[in-house]
Amino acid sequence: MKHILDLTLKDSRFLNARNILMKFTADEPLPGMKPGQFVEAKVEGEPKVFLRRPISIHYVDEEKNELWLLVQTVGNGTHQMAKLRPGETMNFVLPLGDRGFDCEKRNQRLLLVGGGVGVAPLLYLAKALKEKGNQITYLLGGRTKADLMQLDEFSKYGEVLVTTEDGSEGEKGFVTQHSVLNDNKFDYIYTCGPTPMMKAVADYAKKSATPCEVSLENRMACGLGACLCCVTDTKHGHECVCQKGPVFDINDLNW
């Protein structure tokens, strides 16, 4: 069930120059949300912004009744979001996305691959997978050390391996060049991030005969399948990412 709610900002802080962690709460218990789903945020006070902004669900803390969002400030809308102060409210439609990540795996070796702000949905995913006895390995990439975020949080649920393009942290290169891919066999792969990175991960998954899911980051103006701006080409025809996804099996995509 989808909800339209005013949530109160409880805390926010910049993790680096462009990305801010925002924690929202409500007087009533938050609705159930699944890893891989997203929200649509209504931006107030910015005349150039007319549409809601889609943001991946980074984490849900049920005990504290908090929704965490990892927001990259790239345009007028997200810069306005970053100006919100604790105690102020923001309106959301949530949760959106009929298909999140497959969280039914049990006692398997799982690889979670993320790049840039695409790491956002992988934290809540790892929590769900860890609770079912899975062994989790993170492979997270960035251009520099400053682009790597939330490593302490990720490490609560599994082994964290990193790459940076300039070699300032972890192995130098892209995530698909990390040595762990040469020596280890995983039962399943989940990935989210820039499309070229996800396509490279999908190629690796196909070559290694490893099932793989990707979370697409198409522009989603409405989140309800009405505007059709997030349509992607699949083996089943053109489908709205906001409804049929945002998570897809790589074998369903025309990649």
Side-chain angles (χ1 to χ4, degrees), residues 85-119:
R85 294 293 175 259
E88 296 180 332
T89 61
M90 176 167 276
N91 185 265
F92 294 93
V93 180
L94 77 166
L96 295 169
D98 291 345
R99 178 176 176 177
F101 290 110
D102 180 357
C103 298
E104 298 306 312
K105 308 300 178 188
R106 294 181 182 273
N107 304 312
Q108 296 188 25
R109 297 190 66 206
L110 308 177
L111 179 65
L112 280 59
V113 186
V117 77
V119 303

Side-chain angles (χ1 to χ4, degrees), residues 1-9 24-33 39-44 52 65 67 69 84 88-96:
M1 179 181 295
K2 299 172 179 62
H3 302 262
I4 302 177
L5 299 174
D6 288 324
L7 302 183
T8 302
L9 182 65
F24 291 88
T25 190
D27 294 332
E28 300 296 326
L30 293 170
M33 290 172 266
V39 305
E40 287 274 0
K42 184 178 181 180
V43 179
E44 302 280 6
R52 290 178 180 263
N65 200 41
L67 166 65
L69 301 179
L84 202 66
E88 296 180 332
T89 61
M90 176 167 276
N91 185 265
F92 294 93
V93 180
L94 77 166
L96 295 169

